[in-house]
């Protein structure tokens, strides 16, 4: 096996291999929609940061990433790169060894480009590949999950009301957005996410044509659910797929089925509009989110990340 720089001449082999790997994950998560092709790889071939693995003229794998970007994860000072879904793949046999060799080659280029935060999206059931990246110092950070547009059966006490907000009423959800942001400060998350002002929050909702569902208890907002047409992975571009971009329930209302009912309320409305799938991405280091979403959604990707000692940039 040899690893070489990924170029346009490798794109056809890479597309075929990426689709095979997606089909493998889809066999484990049947709710995933079919895909005739994954994202175009021209950008990744042209940025010079990808690698491919070949043996006897056959592609064994490829590993590409974005160009380096500032403020990795939106809350650090690190410069990072990310290999999204469809921008990496490897054959089943010796998959861990193939990824090990590809990352060793690619990481040298990534660090030379100034990136000390390395992220890679792997399919959730690629155990061999994940274990290899764990050996290389990566940890699990993010999860993408999916479910069909089917309601959750659960009971709800009296006094709760649910509604879909509009551009005129979206302001009602902003205090819950603030509480969600504060939740990210807490242990073990320690994430200082940028918080949009009330005006920006409302204007962005209108501009993006988002959907927001709210639960009130005796007139007081206690939970909200934000949904968008776009998500974190390439399959979120399928028209019948919607994606959760914000969700929060006040702690004093948890354990009462409040959020389950709000999710069902939204799903019932969206299903009538022809949507078939609902996705969500969440941090594995968020215990409340992890406990809830894994009950009602099926994970299909794991986002792994490694933070390298940035002082290495002074000697390379």
């Amino acid at each position: 096996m040899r690893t070489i720089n990924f170029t346009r001449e490798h794109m056809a082999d890479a597309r075929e291999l990426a689709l095979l790997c997606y089909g493998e994950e889809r066999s484990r998560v049947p709710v995933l929609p079919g895909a005739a092709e994954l994202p175009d790889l021209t950008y990744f071939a042209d940025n010079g940061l990808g690698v491919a693995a070949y043996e006897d003229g056959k592609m064994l794998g490829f590993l590409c990433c974005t160009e380096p970007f500032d403020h990795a994860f939106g809350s650090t000072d690190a410069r990072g790169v990310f290999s999204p879904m469809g921008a990496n793949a490897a054959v089943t046999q010796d998959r861990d060894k193939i990824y090990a060799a590809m990352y060793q080659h690619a990481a040298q280029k990534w660090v030379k480009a100034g990136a000390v935060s390395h992220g890679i999206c792997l399919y959730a059931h690629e155990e061999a590949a994940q274990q290899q990246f764990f050996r290389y110092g990566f940890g699990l950070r993010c999860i993408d999950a999916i479910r069909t547009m089917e309601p959750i059966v659960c009971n709800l006490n009296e006094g709760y009301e649910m509604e879909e907000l509009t551009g005129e009423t979206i302001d009602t959800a902003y205090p819950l957005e603030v509480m969600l942001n504060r939740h990210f400060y807490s242990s073990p998350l320690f994430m200082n996410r940028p918080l949009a002002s009330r005006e920006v929050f409302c204007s962005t909702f209108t501009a993006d044509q988002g959907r927001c569902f709210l639960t009130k208890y005796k007139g007081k907002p206690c939970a909200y659910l934000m949904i968008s047409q776009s998500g974190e992975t390439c399959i979120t571009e399928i028209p019948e797929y919607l994606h959760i971009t914000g969700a929060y329930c006040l702690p004093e209302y948890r354990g009462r089925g409040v959020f389950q009912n709000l999710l069902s309320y939204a799903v019932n409305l969206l299903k009538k509009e022809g949507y078939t799938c609902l996705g969500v991405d969440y941090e594995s280091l968020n215990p409340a989110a992890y406990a809830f979403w894994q009950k009602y959604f099926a994970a299909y990707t794991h986002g792994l990340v490694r933070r390298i000692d940035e002082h290495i940039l002074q000697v390379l």
Side-chain angles (χ1 to χ4, degrees), residues 32-263:
L32 283 171
E37 61 181 64
L38 294 174
D40 178 56
L41 296 171
T42 304
Y43 162 79
F44 299 104
D46 291 348
N47 70 19
L49 296 172
V51 301
Y54 276 86
E55 186 172 80
D56 298 328
K58 177 186 176 182
M59 174 177 274
L60 301 182
F62 72 101
L63 174 59
C64 298
C65 73
T66 62
E67 294 182 10
F69 52 89
D70 294 327
H71 307 300
F73 290 103
S75 59
T76 72
D77 292 328
R79 191 165 172 79
V81 292
F82 180 61
S83 179
M85 176 181 169
N88 68 82
V91 297
T92 304
Q93 185 174 357
D94 294 325
R95 181 172 282 166
D96 55 341
K97 296 180 176 63
I98 296 167
Y99 268 111
M102 292 194 301
Y103 177 72
Q104 185 174 359
H105 185 162
Q108 182 72 20
K109 297 197 285 184
W110 299 354
V111 173
K112 283 188 175 181
V116 295
S117 178
H118 298 175
I120 180 169
C121 179
L122 298 174
Y123 290 117
H125 296 89
E126 283 188 355
E127 291 293 336
Q130 290 180 64
Q131 288 301 316
Q132 176 54 52
F133 279 100
F134 292 157
R135 289 192 288 272
Y136 271 167
F138 282 74
L140 179 61
R141 173 68 183 249
C142 304
I143 298 173
D144 285 289
I146 189 173
R147 67 172 286 116
T148 57
M149 285 288 185
E150 296 298 331
I152 299 169
V153 178
C154 52
N155 296 321
L156 184 65
N157 296 327
E158 295 182 1
Y160 293 90
E161 298 177 356
M162 290 170 284
E163 62 179 307
E164 180 173 6
L165 301 181
T166 66
E168 288 72 35
T169 59
I170 185 60
D171 179 77
T172 311
Y174 186 70
L176 294 170
E177 175 79 2
V178 174
M179 294 298 294
L180 173 62
N181 210 69
R182 291 177 181 172
H183 170 68
F184 276 89
Y185 298 164
S186 64
S187 180
L189 282 81
F190 301 119
M191 292 174 59
N192 186 13
R193 301 193 319 167
L195 175 64
S197 67
R198 184 184 295 267
E199 293 73 17
V200 170
F201 174 78
C202 296
S203 62
T204 300
F205 172 81
T206 302
D208 294 346
Q209 297 181 324
R211 311 286 291 268
C212 186
F213 302 89
L214 186 79
T215 297
K216 293 181 179 179
Y217 180 67
K218 297 182 178 180
K220 176 186 175 182
C222 60
Y224 85 123
L225 177 66
M226 297 280 287
I227 294 178
S228 170
Q229 189 72 58
S230 298
E232 296 291 327
T233 65
C234 54
I235 64 169
T236 63
E237 301 307 314
I238 296 173
E240 295 80 19
Y241 185 112
L242 290 177
H243 197 80
I244 295 171
T245 55
Y248 188 74
C249 179
L250 293 174
E252 59 266 34
Y253 294 97
R254 296 174 190 171
R256 306 181 188 181
V258 172
F259 204 84
Q260 290 90 333
N261 275 273
L262 181 60
L263 182 60

